Amino acid sequence: MKKSLLTTFVAATSLFFTSMTFAVELDDAKDQGLVGEQTDGYLGAVVSQPDVIALIKEVNNKRKAKYSQLASKNNLTLEQVEKLAAKKAYEKTASGHYVLVNGNWVKK
């Protein structure tokens, strides 16, 4: 019994720290101008590098899963949720970070 509780605790702690590392990587990528918010609710590559592309794919896969969940829960289409998410992401983008405007990356 104690062993399974310990195993669960270790797995949960591991997941927590993995999420924290991922968040730092995303924040760093935004701070360094490597990624930006697109008009479709997803991240895009300002600078195309393999590690940046991998980060974007991971973030966008998680976003799409969440968007699909929200769409289903609220009787909306995925496209409607993506559009709302893009608007929110643009509003929340920090000054100095990139957003896609008319097909060009622009610092906010």
Side-chain angles (χ1 to χ4, degrees):
M1 183 84 155
K2 283 185 179 181
K3 201 173 198 176
S4 87
L5 183 59
L6 179 61
T7 303
T8 302
F9 173 74
V10 169
T13 304
S14 227
L15 187 60
F16 174 73
F17 284 114
T18 301
S19 296
M20 283 180 51
T21 302
F22 177 71
V24 170
E25 289 176 4
L26 178 56
D27 288 344
D28 287 347
K30 286 182 175 183
D31 290 343
Q32 294 172 28
L34 303 174
V35 300
E37 294 293 342
Q38 300 181 133
T39 57
D40 61 0
Y42 297 98
L43 282 180
V46 177
V47 176
S48 187
Q49 297 174 342
D51 55 337
V52 172
I53 300 302
L55 176 64
I56 289 169
K57 284 182 182 178
E58 187 174 351
V59 170
N60 286 346
N61 286 339
K62 289 179 181 182
R63 284 186 180 186
K64 188 167 191 168
K66 185 66 176 175
Y67 296 167
S68 295
Q69 188 180 54
L70 288 169
S72 178
K73 181 179 178 183
N74 294 291
N75 200 26
L76 298 169
T77 66
L78 177 60
E79 292 77 23
Q80 288 171 311
V81 174
E82 289 169 337
K83 189 173 182 175
L84 291 168
K87 184 177 184 299
K88 189 76 165 178
Y90 269 58
E91 291 170 1
K92 292 178 81 174
T93 297
S95 179
H97 289 185
Y98 283 93
V99 292
L100 193 62
V101 177
N102 297 321
N104 296 306
W105 290 110
V106 178
K107 277 190 180 182
K108 185 173 176 187

